[in-house]
Amino acid sequence: MNIPFLDLKAPYHELKDELDAVYYRVMESGWYILGSEVEAFEVEFAQYCRTKHCVGVGNGLDALHLILRALDIGPGDEVLVPSNTFIATWLAVSRTGAKAVPVEPDVATFNIDASQIKKNITGRTRVIMPVHLYGQCCAMDEILDLAGKHNLTVVEDAAQAHGAEYKGVKAGGIGRAAGFSFYPGKNLGAMGDAGAVVTNDDAIARKIRLLRNFGSEKKYYNEMQGVNSRLDPLQAAFLRVKLRSALDRWNKRRVSIAEHYAARLSGIKNLVIPFVPAWAKPVWHLYVIRLARRDALQQVLSDAGVGTLIHYPVPPHLSGAFSGLGWKRGDYPVAEALADTVLSLPIGPHLDPADADRIADIILQFFADSRNNISLEA
Ligand SMILES: *Cc1c(COP(=O)(O)O)cnc(C)c1O
Protein backbone atom coordinates (compact mmCIF):
# COMPACT_ATOMS: atom_id res chain seq x y z
CA MET A 1 0.00 0.00 0.00
CA ASN A 2 1.28 3.45 -0.82
CA ILE A 3 -0.97 6.35 0.15
CA PRO A 4 0.92 9.66 0.05
CA PHE A 5 -0.11 12.42 2.42
CA LEU A 6 -0.88 14.58 -0.60
CA ASP A 7 -0.56 13.84 -4.30
CA LEU A 8 0.53 17.04 -6.06
CA LYS A 9 0.85 15.51 -9.51
CA ALA A 10 -2.73 14.25 -9.70
CA PRO A 11 -4.24 17.78 -9.89
CA TYR A 12 -1.93 18.52 -12.82
CA HIS A 13 -2.91 15.35 -14.62
CA GLU A 14 -6.61 16.00 -14.07
CA LEU A 15 -6.34 19.49 -15.60
CA LYS A 16 -3.37 18.89 -17.89
CA ASP A 17 -4.93 20.08 -21.16
CA GLU A 18 -6.14 23.38 -19.70
CA LEU A 19 -2.97 24.03 -17.70
CA ASP A 20 -0.71 23.25 -20.64
CA ALA A 21 -2.79 25.54 -22.88
CA VAL A 22 -2.44 28.53 -20.54
CA TYR A 23 1.27 27.84 -20.14
CA TYR A 24 1.72 28.29 -23.89
CA ARG A 25 -0.59 31.31 -23.87
CA VAL A 26 1.56 33.08 -21.27
CA MET A 27 4.80 32.05 -22.98
CA GLU A 28 3.59 33.41 -26.30
CA SER A 29 2.27 36.63 -24.77
CA GLY A 30 5.76 37.99 -24.14
CA TRP A 31 4.36 39.60 -20.95
CA TYR A 32 5.88 38.18 -17.79
CA ILE A 33 5.24 40.66 -14.96
CA LEU A 34 1.72 41.66 -13.76
CA GLY A 35 -0.53 42.41 -16.76
CA SER A 36 -3.77 40.88 -17.99
CA GLU A 37 -3.50 37.37 -16.48
CA VAL A 38 -2.89 38.83 -13.02
CA GLU A 39 -5.67 41.37 -13.44
CA ALA A 40 -8.12 38.72 -14.63
CA PHE A 41 -7.27 36.46 -11.71
CA GLU A 42 -7.71 39.35 -9.29
CA VAL A 43 -11.20 40.04 -10.65
CA GLU A 44 -12.16 36.37 -10.56
CA PHE A 45 -10.80 35.66 -7.09
CA ALA A 46 -12.43 38.79 -5.63
CA GLN A 47 -15.69 37.58 -7.18
CA TYR A 48 -15.18 34.15 -5.65
CA CYS A 49 -14.53 35.62 -2.18
CA ARG A 50 -17.37 38.14 -2.71
CA THR A 51 -15.02 41.03 -1.92
CA LYS A 52 -14.51 44.28 -3.78
CA HIS A 53 -10.77 43.89 -4.34
CA CYS A 54 -8.10 41.26 -4.77
CA VAL A 55 -4.41 42.13 -5.10
CA GLY A 56 -2.08 39.33 -6.19
CA VAL A 57 1.24 39.10 -4.37
CA GLY A 58 4.21 36.76 -4.23
CA ASN A 59 3.10 34.45 -1.39
CA GLY A 60 0.89 34.17 1.68
CA LEU A 61 3.42 35.54 4.13
CA ASP A 62 3.80 38.72 2.07
CA ALA A 63 0.01 39.02 1.75
CA LEU A 64 -0.36 39.13 5.55
CA HIS A 65 2.72 41.30 6.03
CA LEU A 66 1.66 43.85 3.42
CA ILE A 67 -1.81 44.15 4.96
CA LEU A 68 -0.16 45.08 8.27
CA ARG A 69 2.09 47.58 6.49
CA ALA A 70 -0.93 49.06 4.74
CA LEU A 71 -2.47 49.52 8.20
CA ASP A 72 0.75 51.27 9.37
CA ILE A 73 1.48 48.61 11.97
CA GLY A 74 5.03 48.87 13.28
CA PRO A 75 7.29 49.08 16.33
CA GLY A 76 5.34 49.65 19.56
CA ASP A 77 2.18 48.01 18.20
CA GLU A 78 0.79 44.65 19.27
CA VAL A 79 -1.04 42.15 17.09
CA LEU A 80 -2.99 39.27 18.62
CA VAL A 81 -2.21 35.96 16.91
CA PRO A 82 -3.13 32.36 17.73
CA SER A 83 -0.54 30.41 19.72
CA ASN A 84 -1.36 27.43 17.49
CA THR A 85 -0.66 28.32 13.87
CA PHE A 86 1.86 28.04 11.06
CA ILE A 87 4.75 30.34 11.90
CA ALA A 88 4.07 32.66 8.93
CA THR A 89 1.22 34.30 10.87
CA TRP A 90 3.73 35.43 13.49
CA LEU A 91 6.45 36.34 10.98
CA ALA A 92 4.05 38.64 9.15
CA VAL A 93 3.81 40.60 12.40
CA SER A 94 7.41 40.48 13.61
CA ARG A 95 8.71 41.69 10.23
CA THR A 96 6.83 44.98 10.75
CA GLY A 97 8.61 45.52 14.07
CA ALA A 98 5.33 45.01 15.95
CA LYS A 99 4.94 42.37 18.65
CA ALA A 100 3.00 39.16 18.02
CA VAL A 101 0.96 38.48 21.18
CA PRO A 102 -0.19 34.85 21.38
CA VAL A 103 -3.73 33.86 22.30
CA GLU A 104 -4.47 30.24 23.14
CA PRO A 105 -6.79 28.17 20.91
CA ASP A 106 -10.06 26.48 21.79
CA VAL A 107 -9.09 22.78 22.02
CA ALA A 108 -12.30 21.72 20.32
CA THR A 109 -11.84 23.74 17.13
CA PHE A 110 -8.04 24.34 17.21
CA ASN A 111 -8.86 27.99 16.39
CA ILE A 112 -8.15 31.11 18.44
CA ASP A 113 -10.30 31.10 21.58
CA ALA A 114 -12.37 34.28 21.43
CA SER A 115 -12.92 34.16 25.18
CA GLN A 116 -9.13 34.44 25.72
CA ILE A 117 -8.73 37.52 23.54
CA LYS A 118 -9.93 40.22 25.90
CA LYS A 119 -7.34 39.63 28.63
CA ASN A 120 -4.57 40.03 26.03
CA ILE A 121 -5.74 43.45 24.82
CA THR A 122 -3.51 46.33 25.98
CA GLY A 123 -3.22 49.99 25.07
CA ARG A 124 -0.86 48.97 22.27
CA THR A 125 -3.08 46.35 20.63
CA ARG A 126 -4.04 47.36 17.08
CA VAL A 127 -5.00 44.19 15.21
CA ILE A 128 -6.51 40.76 15.83
CA MET A 129 -5.29 38.21 13.29
CA PRO A 130 -7.44 35.07 13.49
CA VAL A 131 -6.31 32.10 11.40
CA HIS A 132 -8.99 29.85 9.87
CA LEU A 133 -6.84 26.88 10.71
CA TYR A 134 -7.16 23.60 8.81
CA GLY A 135 -9.85 25.21 6.62
CA GLN A 136 -12.48 26.00 9.26
CA CYS A 137 -13.46 29.55 10.11
CA CYS A 138 -12.93 31.03 13.56
CA ALA A 139 -15.79 32.25 15.77
CA MET A 140 -15.85 35.54 13.89
CA ASP A 141 -18.88 37.25 15.50
CA GLU A 142 -17.22 37.16 18.91
CA ILE A 143 -13.92 38.37 17.42
CA LEU A 144 -15.54 41.20 15.41
CA ASP A 145 -17.52 42.22 18.46
CA LEU A 146 -14.39 42.53 20.63
CA ALA A 147 -12.57 44.34 17.83
CA GLY A 148 -15.42 46.82 17.56
CA LYS A 149 -15.47 47.47 21.31
CA HIS A 150 -11.70 48.03 21.50
CA ASN A 151 -11.27 49.80 18.18
CA LEU A 152 -9.11 47.03 16.67
CA THR A 153 -8.79 45.88 13.06
CA VAL A 154 -9.47 42.25 12.16
CA VAL A 155 -7.15 40.74 9.55
CA GLU A 156 -7.95 37.17 8.50
CA ASP A 157 -5.20 34.67 7.81
CA ALA A 158 -7.21 32.70 5.23
CA ALA A 159 -4.21 30.78 3.85
CA GLN A 160 -5.91 27.43 4.57
CA ALA A 161 -9.50 28.44 3.92
CA HIS A 162 -10.20 29.05 0.21
CA GLY A 163 -13.97 28.73 -0.09
CA ALA A 164 -14.69 28.10 3.60
CA GLU A 165 -17.76 29.84 4.98
CA TYR A 166 -18.75 31.45 8.25
CA LYS A 167 -22.54 31.78 8.59
CA GLY A 168 -22.77 31.97 4.81
CA VAL A 169 -19.94 34.52 4.39
CA LYS A 170 -16.81 33.39 2.58
CA ALA A 171 -13.48 33.42 4.39
CA GLY A 172 -11.63 36.54 3.34
CA GLY A 173 -14.72 38.72 3.32
CA ILE A 174 -15.32 38.77 7.07
CA GLY A 175 -12.58 41.04 8.45
CA ARG A 176 -11.11 44.28 7.11
CA ALA A 177 -8.68 42.40 4.87
CA ALA A 178 -7.45 38.84 4.41
CA GLY A 179 -4.30 37.13 3.24
CA PHE A 180 -4.40 33.99 1.08
CA SER A 181 -1.58 31.64 0.14
CA PHE A 182 -1.54 29.64 -3.08
CA TYR A 183 1.38 27.46 -2.02
CA PRO A 184 1.02 24.24 -4.07
CA GLY A 185 -0.39 22.18 -1.19
CA LYS A 186 -3.16 24.65 -0.35
CA ASN A 187 -6.77 24.02 -1.45
CA LEU A 188 -6.20 26.48 -4.30
CA GLY A 189 -2.56 25.93 -5.11
CA ALA A 190 -0.27 27.33 -7.80
CA MET A 191 2.67 25.55 -9.45
CA GLY A 192 5.02 27.56 -7.28
CA ASP A 193 4.70 30.38 -4.76
CA ALA A 194 1.79 32.80 -4.98
CA GLY A 195 -0.55 34.74 -2.70
CA ALA A 196 -3.23 37.42 -2.59
CA VAL A 197 -4.91 39.99 -0.41
CA VAL A 198 -8.67 40.44 -0.57
CA THR A 199 -10.51 43.39 0.97
CA ASN A 200 -13.53 45.65 0.59
CA ASP A 201 -11.41 48.64 1.63
CA ASP A 202 -10.36 50.84 -1.31
CA ALA A 203 -7.47 52.48 0.55
CA ILE A 204 -5.94 49.18 1.71
CA ALA A 205 -6.23 47.70 -1.78
CA ARG A 206 -4.54 50.70 -3.37
CA LYS A 207 -1.74 50.74 -0.83
CA ILE A 208 -1.03 47.05 -1.30
CA ARG A 209 -0.94 47.52 -5.08
CA LEU A 210 1.81 50.07 -4.51
CA LEU A 211 3.66 48.19 -1.77
CA ARG A 212 3.92 44.97 -3.79
CA ASN A 213 5.52 46.83 -6.69
CA PHE A 214 8.35 48.93 -5.20
CA GLY A 215 5.86 51.46 -3.84
CA SER A 216 4.97 52.69 -7.29
CA GLU A 217 1.82 52.95 -9.33
CA LYS A 218 3.55 54.83 -12.12
CA LYS A 219 6.84 53.24 -13.13
CA TYR A 220 9.88 54.96 -11.56
CA TYR A 221 7.72 57.22 -9.35
CA ASN A 222 7.95 55.65 -5.92
CA GLU A 223 5.48 56.94 -3.36
CA MET A 224 6.66 54.71 -0.51
CA GLN A 225 9.28 52.09 0.34
CA GLY A 226 7.63 49.05 -1.15
CA VAL A 227 8.85 45.54 -1.81
CA ASN A 228 8.94 43.31 -4.87
CA SER A 229 6.17 40.80 -4.25
CA ARG A 230 4.05 40.53 -7.37
CA LEU A 231 1.85 37.62 -8.35
CA ASP A 232 3.55 35.90 -11.30
CA PRO A 233 1.32 35.95 -14.43
CA LEU A 234 2.08 32.30 -15.19
CA GLN A 235 0.93 31.35 -11.69
CA ALA A 236 -2.10 33.62 -12.10
CA ALA A 237 -2.98 31.78 -15.33
CA PHE A 238 -2.70 28.38 -13.59
CA LEU A 239 -4.76 29.66 -10.66
CA ARG A 240 -7.49 30.89 -13.02
CA VAL A 241 -7.82 27.37 -14.43
CA LYS A 242 -8.01 25.76 -11.01
CA LEU A 243 -10.40 28.37 -9.65
CA ARG A 244 -12.75 28.00 -12.60
CA SER A 245 -12.54 24.25 -13.13
CA ALA A 246 -11.66 22.65 -9.84
CA LEU A 247 -11.63 24.48 -6.50
CA ASP A 248 -15.26 23.97 -5.46
CA ARG A 249 -15.32 20.44 -6.82
CA TRP A 250 -12.08 19.53 -5.03
CA ASN A 251 -13.32 21.11 -1.81
CA LYS A 252 -16.43 18.91 -2.09
CA ARG A 253 -14.24 15.83 -2.39
CA ARG A 254 -12.41 16.89 0.76
CA VAL A 255 -15.75 17.30 2.53
CA SER A 256 -16.86 13.83 1.54
CA ILE A 257 -13.60 12.27 2.73
CA ALA A 258 -13.95 14.14 6.04
CA GLU A 259 -17.49 12.81 6.40
CA HIS A 260 -16.23 9.35 5.65
CA TYR A 261 -13.47 9.57 8.28
CA ALA A 262 -15.96 10.94 10.81
CA ALA A 263 -18.38 8.09 10.15
CA ARG A 264 -15.65 5.49 10.60
CA LEU A 265 -13.73 7.08 13.49
CA SER A 266 -16.35 8.68 15.72
CA GLY A 267 -17.03 6.79 18.90
CA ILE A 268 -13.47 5.58 19.45
CA LYS A 269 -12.73 6.30 23.08
CA ASN A 270 -9.65 8.53 23.47
CA LEU A 271 -9.51 9.52 19.82
CA VAL A 272 -10.55 13.11 19.18
CA ILE A 273 -11.80 13.82 15.67
CA PRO A 274 -12.45 17.33 14.31
CA PHE A 275 -15.36 19.25 15.78
CA VAL A 276 -17.44 21.30 13.35
CA PRO A 277 -19.67 24.01 14.87
CA ALA A 278 -23.14 24.24 13.33
CA TRP A 279 -22.32 27.56 11.64
CA ALA A 280 -19.09 26.38 10.03
CA LYS A 281 -18.61 25.17 6.47
CA PRO A 282 -15.01 23.96 6.48
CA VAL A 283 -13.04 23.14 3.35
CA TRP A 284 -10.80 20.61 5.11
CA HIS A 285 -7.37 21.83 4.15
CA LEU A 286 -6.29 19.34 6.80
CA TYR A 287 -8.02 16.55 8.70
CA VAL A 288 -6.45 16.64 12.16
CA ILE A 289 -7.05 14.01 14.82
CA ARG A 290 -5.70 13.95 18.39
CA LEU A 291 -4.55 11.03 20.49
CA ALA A 292 -2.12 10.34 23.33
CA ARG A 293 0.04 7.86 21.42
CA ARG A 294 0.35 10.03 18.32
CA ASP A 295 3.93 9.08 17.46
CA ALA A 296 3.11 5.38 17.70
CA LEU A 297 0.12 5.71 15.36
CA GLN A 298 2.15 7.76 12.90
CA GLN A 299 4.75 4.96 12.87
CA VAL A 300 2.12 2.25 12.35
CA LEU A 301 0.60 4.19 9.46
CA SER A 302 4.02 4.85 7.98
CA ASP A 303 4.90 1.14 8.18
CA ALA A 304 1.68 0.46 6.27
CA GLY A 305 2.68 2.96 3.56
CA VAL A 306 0.40 5.78 4.67
CA GLY A 307 1.84 9.29 4.75
CA THR A 308 0.79 11.60 7.58
CA LEU A 309 2.13 14.94 8.84
CA ILE A 310 2.06 16.95 12.07
CA HIS A 311 0.66 20.48 11.84
CA TYR A 312 2.57 21.72 13.72
CA PRO A 313 5.21 19.93 15.81
CA VAL A 314 6.66 23.09 17.41
CA PRO A 315 4.43 26.00 18.43
CA PRO A 316 5.91 29.34 17.28
CA HIS A 317 6.72 30.51 20.83
CA LEU A 318 9.07 27.53 21.29
CA SER A 319 10.62 27.77 17.83
CA GLY A 320 14.16 28.98 17.22
CA ALA A 321 12.69 31.90 15.29
CA PHE A 322 11.29 33.47 18.46
CA SER A 323 13.75 32.08 21.00
CA GLY A 324 15.11 35.55 21.73
CA LEU A 325 11.84 36.54 23.39
CA GLY A 326 12.28 34.42 26.51
CA TRP A 327 9.29 32.13 26.07
CA LYS A 328 9.49 28.69 27.66
CA ARG A 329 7.58 25.44 27.74
CA GLY A 330 4.44 25.92 29.84
CA ASP A 331 3.75 29.46 28.63
CA TYR A 332 1.08 28.35 26.13
CA PRO A 333 0.03 24.91 27.38
CA VAL A 334 -2.89 24.45 24.99
CA ALA A 335 -0.76 25.05 21.91
CA GLU A 336 1.93 22.81 23.39
CA ALA A 337 -0.55 20.00 24.10
CA LEU A 338 -1.84 20.22 20.53
CA ALA A 339 1.70 20.08 19.12
CA ASP A 340 2.28 16.88 21.09
CA THR A 341 -0.94 15.10 20.13
CA VAL A 342 -2.14 16.17 16.65
CA LEU A 343 -1.85 14.07 13.51
CA SER A 344 -2.99 15.07 10.02
CA LEU A 345 -4.46 12.26 7.92
CA PRO A 346 -4.43 12.33 4.09
CA ILE A 347 -7.42 14.29 2.76
CA GLY A 348 -6.31 15.58 -0.64
CA PRO A 349 -8.97 15.82 -3.37
CA HIS A 350 -7.37 12.89 -5.19
CA LEU A 351 -7.38 10.50 -2.25
CA ASP A 352 -9.30 7.37 -3.18
CA PRO A 353 -12.21 6.89 -0.71
CA ALA A 354 -11.22 3.22 -0.51
CA ASP A 355 -7.83 4.36 0.79
CA ALA A 356 -9.51 6.53 3.43
CA ASP A 357 -11.28 3.34 4.49
CA ARG A 358 -7.99 1.47 4.74
CA ILE A 359 -6.56 4.25 6.88
CA ALA A 360 -9.62 4.10 9.16
CA ASP A 361 -9.18 0.31 9.44
CA ILE A 362 -5.59 0.75 10.62
CA ILE A 363 -6.63 3.36 13.19
CA LEU A 364 -9.45 1.17 14.53
CA GLN A 365 -7.03 -1.72 14.85
CA PHE A 366 -4.52 0.53 16.62
CA PHE A 367 -7.10 1.55 19.21
CA ALA A 368 -8.24 -2.04 19.69
CA ASP A 369 -4.90 -2.57 21.48
CA SER A 370 -5.46 -1.39 25.07
CA ARG A 371 -1.86 -0.13 25.33
CA ASN A 372 -2.73 2.46 22.70
CA ASN A 373 -6.20 3.28 23.92
CA ILE A 374 -5.18 5.70 26.64
CA SER A 375 -6.60 9.03 27.65
CA LEU A 376 -5.16 12.27 26.22
CA GLU A 377 -4.69 13.69 29.70
CA ALA A 378 -2.72 10.70 31.00
C1 LIG B 1 0.66 28.55 4.12
C2 LIG B 1 0.35 29.49 5.21
C3 LIG B 1 0.87 30.80 5.25
C4 LIG B 1 1.98 31.27 4.34
O1 LIG B 1 1.79 31.12 3.02
P1 LIG B 1 3.04 31.05 2.01
O2 LIG B 1 2.41 31.23 0.69
O3 LIG B 1 3.69 29.73 2.20
O4 LIG B 1 3.94 32.19 2.37
C5 LIG B 1 0.42 31.67 6.23
N1 LIG B 1 -0.46 31.26 7.16
C6 LIG B 1 -0.95 30.01 7.19
C7 LIG B 1 -1.94 29.64 8.24
C8 LIG B 1 -0.56 29.08 6.22
O5 LIG B 1 -1.04 27.83 6.28
Side-chain angles (χ1 to χ4, degrees):
M1 181 154 61
N2 180 28
I3 306 174
F5 177 71
L6 180 64
D7 183 351
L8 282 174
K9 253 205 258 179
Y12 171 59
H13 288 141
E14 185 183 323
L15 301 173
K16 185 177 186 329
D17 292 346
E18 280 179 276
L19 291 168
D20 288 353
V22 300
Y23 167 81
Y24 288 111
R25 184 172 79 210
V26 173
M27 290 303 107
E28 291 291 348
S29 75
W31 194 278
Y32 307 126
I33 296 290
L34 296 177
S36 61
E37 292 288 349
V38 172
E39 284 162 22
F41 173 73
E42 288 175 340
V43 168
E44 290 156 12
F45 195 62
Q47 228 160 43
Y48 181 81
C49 295
R50 303 182 204 126
T51 55
K52 195 167 168 195
H53 305 281
C54 168
V55 184
V57 297
N59 55 68
L61 170 59
D62 284 355
L64 296 167
H65 173 71
L66 293 179
I67 294 169
L68 295 176
R69 279 203 56 192
L71 293 167
D72 290 318
I73 301 302
D77 295 329
E78 293 179 1
V79 176
L80 301 182
V81 294
S83 56
N84 176 49
T85 182
F86 179 55
I87 199 161
T89 316
W90 288 42
L91 292 172
V93 177
S94 60
R95 216 203 317 167
T96 65
K99 187 174 159 197
V101 176
V103 178
E104 287 272 63
D106 172 343
V107 278
T109 62
F110 302 104
N111 276 330
I112 193 166
D113 184 345
S115 74
Q116 301 289 311
I117 289 177
K118 196 170 168 195
K119 68 175 187 199
N120 287 289
I121 295 174
T122 71
R124 296 166 178 264
T125 311
R126 301 268 321 272
V127 171
I128 308 175
M129 199 185 271
V131 180
H132 305 311
L133 204 64
Y134 311 149
Q136 178 165 292
C137 287
C138 299
M140 293 306 290
D141 278 347
E142 288 81 349
I143 293 168
L144 291 167
D145 188 50
L146 279 162
K149 281 192 183 122
H150 298 270
N151 200 21
L152 308 175
T153 303
V154 175
V155 174
E156 297 167 71
D157 180 340
Q160 303 189 357
H162 319 73
E165 287 184 16
Y166 174 77
K167 298 185 181 174
V169 184
K170 283 250 173 81
I174 312 167
R176 178 87 86 85
F180 281 92
S181 164
F182 306 118
Y183 177 81
K186 300 286 159 86
N187 290 38
L188 178 60
M191 272 53 189
D193 276 312
V197 172
V198 299
T199 182
N200 291 311
D201 186 310
D202 298 342
I204 291 177
R206 175 171 192 273
K207 201 159 170 194
I208 288 170
R209 271 183 208 292
L210 267 61
L211 283 170
R212 73 170 174 185
N213 192 23
F214 300 112
S216 77
E217 192 166 40
K218 192 174 163 201
K219 207 170 183 176
Y220 306 129
Y221 293 83
N222 304 83
E223 294 179 36
M224 57 188 80
Q225 289 188 18
V227 299
N228 178 355
S229 184
R230 300 172 294 219
L231 175 59
D232 181 317
L234 182 58
Q235 300 304 336
F238 292 148
L239 289 167
R240 292 181 69 198
V241 169
K242 289 189 171 182
L243 180 62
R244 182 178 61 234
S245 302
L247 176 60
D248 283 339
R249 200 159 43 81
W250 288 351
N251 278 347
K252 278 192 194 122
R253 286 194 209 159
R254 290 175 184 269
V255 170
S256 82
I257 293 163
E259 286 170 354
H260 201 64
Y261 276 140
R264 295 286 323 272
L265 300 176
S266 64
I268 301 181
K269 190 163 168 265
N270 299 317
L271 173 68
V272 178
I273 64 167
F275 168 72
V276 182
W279 43 258
K281 254 179 99 180
V283 290
W284 301 103
H285 174 59
L286 297 171
Y287 191 89
V288 177
I289 60 173
R290 288 185 65 208
L291 69 160
R293 299 208 64 219
R294 186 268 313 275
D295 293 345
L297 177 60
Q298 185 171 39
Q299 188 61 52
V300 166
L301 286 165
S302 165
D303 291 344
V306 178
T308 58
L309 289 174
I310 294 166
H311 298 91
Y312 297 91
V314 182
H317 72 281
L318 298 180
S319 70
F322 292 98
S323 63
L325 298 178
W327 275 308
K328 57 188 186 312
R329 194 160 246 283
D331 286 348
Y332 294 96
V334 182
E336 291 162 19
L338 292 179
D340 292 342
T341 56
V342 291
L343 185 67
S344 305
L345 302 179
I347 193 164
H350 296 85
L351 179 70
D352 183 342
D355 284 341
D357 252 336
R358 289 188 196 105
I359 293 166
D361 287 338
I362 296 169
I363 296 171
L364 284 161
Q365 208 171 36
F366 179 85
F367 275 93
D369 181 338
S370 60
R371 283 167 305 176
N372 293 326
N373 201 337
I374 57 177
S375 131
L376 266 171
E377 280 69 45

